[in-house]
Amino acid sequence: MLFSHLNNRQSKILVVDDEPTSLLVMTEALGDLGEVIGCASGVEALGVAFSFRPDIILLDIEMPNMNGFEVCKAIKQNPLTALSIVIFVTSHNEQIFEYQSFENGGVDLIHKPVDLNLCRLRIVNHLKMKQQEAQISTAKDDVAALIAQVPVFISYWSVQELNLFNNDMTCQWFAVSGNEMIGHRAKDILPDDLYLALHNCLEEQKPQEVLNVPFVDPSDNIEHVRAQINLQFHEGQAVGVILTLTDITSIKRTKKLLAAESERLRVMLNSIGDAVIATDNEAHITFMNPIAEKLTGYSAQQAQAKHIDDVMKLTDAYSGQNLVNPILLALRENRIVAMSLNSQLTALDNRVYRVEDSAAPIRDDDGRVSGGIIVFHDVSESVAMAVKMSHLANHDLLTDLPNRVLLYDRVSHACKVAKSKEQQVALILIDIDHFKYLNDTLGHQQGDLIIKLVAKRLESLIDLNYTLARIGGDEFAILIPEIKLTSIIDVIATDIINTMSEPFKIDEQPYILSVSVGISIYPRESVTAEDMMTHADAAMYKAKEQGRNRFCYYSDDLEHQFKQRQSVEKLIRTSIENDKIEVYYQPKVALGSQKIVGVEALVRLRDTNNQIILPVEFIPLAEETGLINALGESVLKQSCYAAKEWLDKGFRIKVAVNISAKQFTDKNFCNFVAQTLQMSGLPSELLELEVTESALMEDFEVTKSMLNDLAVLGLTIAIDDFGTGYSSLSYLKLFPVDVLKVDQSFVRDMMVDSQSMDIVKTITSLAHSLSLLIVAEGVEEKQHLNKLIDLGCELGQGYYFYKPMPKEEFDKLLV
């Protein structure tokens, strides 16, 4: 066999002879040559032969019933035994028997008496030939199987261009099978290009030709082949042609895909906004895209094979020191490496770019580093923008002074330094008095101009190591670090107040300002930056309370007030969050009948000791901290639900709710009132909103629009504390006002103060002329009642009738 050792199968020998002695002698003599079986008749021999399938049959000619020639014919006619070697044995010497022996398929003839040694030699030779024949047959089958398995078309052609052999048994290569191809001309089988090459080789006697040929009509998806043509020579003459074809379709396709991918990558790398540079494993440049050319100043051709450091000159943007190119580290350490912070690239033309990104190694199939690639981009504009954004985040847009954030940072730093040096730090908070009025009067553009002028004037007063910051609309702060003598603070504060009192000229028009100044000192009163800022703020408000245009230090008294303020603020917040805001109701009565016709809702706050806190103690703080809206909403909701409950019990009690200036200017306030009326189910005519004169005059157009929207809802508008404001009375005609409430200070003093009496008379007369309802507050005595009735005042409220009371107590009055 071609691919194995010789077959060690034991030979099979069949001896056929009707003479028992001869049969016994022969089987005994041949026993060591293989497996031997003896038969005494021809009929028996046929049955044994078909099952035993012997390699050699020793067949006696003369046998009864069926002679040896007949047995031989039957054996040769059966495919199972046709290849068995038949050796005839006979006692006849006539030539006719020898002739008949070979004619009937025998291969040899042994004469009796049998020479056993000669017989053994003949049988051994025939067995060897049989084994060689089997090996040749097996080898032929192996070669055929091998050729059939090879993914290559193998063929042999005569010099007349006829196919003599091929291995295409499955029509893989051509439209005809290999068997059909045998004997056909190459011109009829092969593509034109391939046939012409084979024909030219024969014509020109070229020993060999190799070429790539496309298949016009591809068979089995074979589109391209590599053909090798080899002429075969014998004694100098061509005797045939070996043609082999190898399928290179996948190679062609892969090359095409690789070319397309390479082009796509080239276009992509040349189109992206990042610079890309590739190097070999020694950091010599092999590729640069156009962005890299622009940033380095080198063309790809100029940079080719140059070391990366010769083309990319990286330095630290701040120190100017040379930086290691990240691609060198990537190659050395076989990892991705980010570019150093603050990297800048100096181009060939000395232009400087801030750059950032990273480099990575390129590895081959075995994981070895074969090169590197660095991707980077110009971040010069981003860095500049970041610097600008950082500046904007820490500075005031209008004055370009440090803002609250930067001031806080500097105060914290100054406190740390002062602690280590055992020195003091001062924070001076400056607030422009009545700036809102000035801003609203002159307009915001002129107001901004005043803020800029104030900033410049303050800058002229301070040293370079001080920090001047604008921390609010009209608030400035000065940080004084490392104070050795506290007396300097008084000097600076006095200079601020005096300098601000000098007129500011805008469009040749002088404007005089005053400021309130609060001062906090570390570590005397404040131990943290937070303390310094809150304490300076508290001191500044103390200066305002003392009459403005002055400065005030933070003190123990302010500490107590500050903590009390914090406590009340916390109480307001928790009470709102937990629905603990209480509403008291003070009845309004018809003065003539003293019948209850309405109530005024008054907010109350209860502290942790269950003690009532009056509005005068927490309403201003609620307005200042922005909690007034939530507080007012809670009161309005409770009041509407209470009035609806009374209505359901048969009592039409109009409830009056006080509205603060900040609530009144809230754009969503009208919607909230409408939603509250809808949710509670209270008819709008049973709700009255009380607004002070000062609130009405905050912004005339906004006020007018808000009042008109509220009037559409059908509720009543009352002006509370009428007569205490400074506005024109013309708004009574322009605004949809229904009720005037005479301030209790006038009612309380009208019997002992003629001016107060005149004011009450005037308001009453004015209300009647405008068809407005009058409510007198602060009715505490019988004389007040009688006089108000004489003046024609319809309604009143005060301690003479009832004090403010919880809802439960008022419910009892209605029974």
Side-chain angles (χ1 to χ4, degrees), residues 21-74:
T21 303
S22 297
L23 183 61
L24 180 61
V25 171
M26 291 287 286
T27 55
E28 287 292 335
L30 302 175
D32 62 331
L33 298 181
E35 184 180 358
V36 181
I37 296 178
C39 292
S41 69
V43 175
E44 181 186 359
L46 286 178
V48 172
F50 294 154
S51 60
F52 185 51
R53 298 182 188 179
D55 297 309
I56 293 179
I57 301 174
L58 292 176
L59 183 59
D60 188 19
I61 296 176
E62 295 293 337
M63 290 185 297
N65 299 325
M66 190 174 190
N67 63 33
F69 296 137
E70 294 172 333
V71 173
C72 184
K73 286 181 181 180

Side-chain angles (χ1 to χ4, degrees), residues 186-220:
K187 186 176 183 180
D188 300 329
I189 303 298
L190 304 177
D192 292 343
D193 292 346
L194 185 57
Y195 166 71
L196 185 60
L198 184 144
H199 179 76
N200 289 339
C201 278
L202 284 170
E203 285 287 320
E204 301 171 8
Q205 295 291 289
K206 292 172 61 176
Q208 187 178 42
E209 180 75 15
V210 179
L211 67 159
N212 294 336
V213 182
F215 272 21
V216 178
D217 297 317
S219 175
D220 198 24

Side-chain angles (χ1 to χ4, degrees), residues 382-567:
S382 300
V383 170
M385 181 60 70
V387 172
K388 183 176 180 180
M389 293 301 293
S390 176
H391 183 83
L392 291 175
N394 291 283
H395 290 78
D396 173 54
L397 290 177
L398 182 62
T399 62
D400 202 37
L401 294 175
N403 60 14
R404 181 181 291 272
V405 175
L406 184 54
L407 174 67
Y408 179 85
D409 184 65
R410 292 187 180 179
V411 170
S412 299
H413 178 71
C415 290
K416 291 179 182 178
V417 173
K419 182 178 181 181
S420 64
K421 295 183 178 182
E422 297 184 351
Q423 293 178 333
Q424 298 183 95
V425 176
L427 182 64
I428 301 176
L429 188 65
I430 305 155
D431 184 86
I432 304 174
D433 296 329
H434 303 300
F435 179 75
K436 186 178 186 305
Y437 174 79
L438 186 65
N439 198 37
D440 292 342
T441 302
L442 299 178
H444 293 291
Q445 186 174 1
Q446 297 292 76
D448 288 346
L449 183 56
I450 290 176
I451 291 294
K452 289 182 179 180
L453 294 175
V454 169
K456 287 184 178 180
R457 193 170 290 185
L458 289 173
E459 279 184 307
S460 67
L461 297 176
I462 63 175
D463 292 340
L464 293 177
N465 63 328
Y466 296 0
T467 294
L468 172 63
R470 183 188 180 208
I471 61 175
D474 59 348
E475 287 186 340
F476 293 84
I478 297 175
L479 171 65
I480 307 175
E482 302 182 16
I483 296 175
K484 297 179 181 178
L485 297 173
T486 55
S487 58
I488 189 66
I489 302 173
D490 289 354
V491 175
I492 294 174
T494 302
D495 285 346
I496 291 171
I497 293 172
N498 292 336
T499 303
M500 288 300 110
S501 64
E502 296 177 7
F504 290 85
K505 281 192 176 182
I506 299 177
D507 297 332
E508 300 303 323
Q509 179 70 33
Y511 295 94
I512 298 176
L513 302 180
S514 68
V515 293
S516 297
V517 178
I519 304 168
S520 174
I521 298 178
Y522 170 92
R524 191 173 74 186
E525 305 124 1
S526 307
V527 294
T528 65
E530 291 90 344
D531 288 346
M532 290 200 74
M533 297 187 76
T534 55
H535 291 176
D537 188 63
M540 181 269 292
Y541 276 104
K542 184 67 174 179
K544 285 185 178 293
E545 291 176 5
Q546 293 180 354
R548 305 177 189 272
N549 198 34
R550 66 191 64 227
F551 65 88
C552 182
Y553 283 89
Y554 188 76
S555 63
D556 292 338
D557 180 48
L558 283 179
E559 175 75 20
H560 175 73
Q561 293 180 20
F562 178 71
K563 289 183 177 179
Q564 182 67 22
R565 174 189 172 95
Q566 285 186 316
S567 176

Side-chain angles (χ1 to χ4, degrees), residues 254-267:
T254 302
K255 285 184 177 181
K256 186 176 181 179
L257 289 174
L258 286 174
E261 181 69 10
S262 177
E263 177 62 14
R264 186 177 71 84
L265 289 174
R266 186 190 67 80
V267 172

